[in-house]
Amino acid sequence: MSRKVAIVMGSDSDLPHLEPAVETLKRLEVPCEVRVLSAHRTPEEAGEFARTAAERGFGVIIAAAGGAAHLAGAMAAHSLLPIIGVPISATPLNGMDALLSTVQMPPGIPVATVAIGKMGATNAALLAVQILAGADEALAARFAADRASMKAKVAEKDAAVRARYPAG
Ligand code: RP5
């Protein structure tokens, strides 16, 4: 049984951006728990979640937030687990605020930051899988098959485009 992945977000308004992460983990059969926990609105609950995550079977925490996004850093401050930050576009700054808040962690407490929004959510889940796959051979095999399937889909698209525009 794989260790679980936690997906935490600062608000339920972030949820649509995180759906690709949930879908990706489901596809790769990695158990996950999805929570709304805010570093500034519910700091005690967020800290408690991070402090107890490892003993509750989590192996990675994905933390998503918009604005002055400090949720991922707060999770990292309270846990030895690897933390992946997903910046969310939630303000007129279109996620640049969250990107910089999440990625610019001072040395000592890292947050592995991915792209803003849905693209980042997908990659956060894949990165979590890669981390867990280091100690889980069955998961490593599923991940390798998933990568091969992506490659095959690109080859199919390439063939379709070449059929439509044959080399002259
Ligand atoms: C952040 O503030 C959340 O992560 C969200 O991206 C943003 C806006 O939250 P709501 O006002 O929609 O609850 O803490």
Side-chain angles (χ1 to χ4, degrees), residues 48-144:
E48 178 66 8
F49 183 91
R51 274 191 295 278
T52 60
E55 72 201 37
R56 288 182 294 112
F58 292 100
V60 180
I61 299 175
I62 294 172
H70 35 249
L71 181 59
M75 289 283 131
H78 290 288
S79 176
L80 298 180
L81 292 175
I83 310 297
I84 304 173
V86 185
I88 300 296
S89 174
T91 77
L93 296 181
N94 299 321
M96 281 305 293
D97 42 2
L99 172 63
L100 296 177
S101 306
T102 306
V103 78
Q104 286 292 84
M105 283 297 286
I109 307 290
V111 167
T113 305
V114 292
I116 298 167
K118 289 185 174 188
M119 285 198 313
T122 298
N123 278 348
L126 291 171
L127 184 54
V129 166
Q130 287 175 282
I131 292 167
L132 297 181
D136 182 336
E137 279 182 25
L139 180 57
R142 291 200 294 280
F143 177 69

Side-chain angles (χ1 to χ4, degrees), residues 35-58:
R35 297 286 305 272
V36 175
L37 293 165
S38 168
H40 52 282
R41 291 167 175 156
T42 60
E44 289 84 8
E45 290 80 356
E48 178 66 8
F49 183 91
R51 274 191 295 278
T52 60
E55 72 201 37
R56 288 182 294 112
F58 292 100

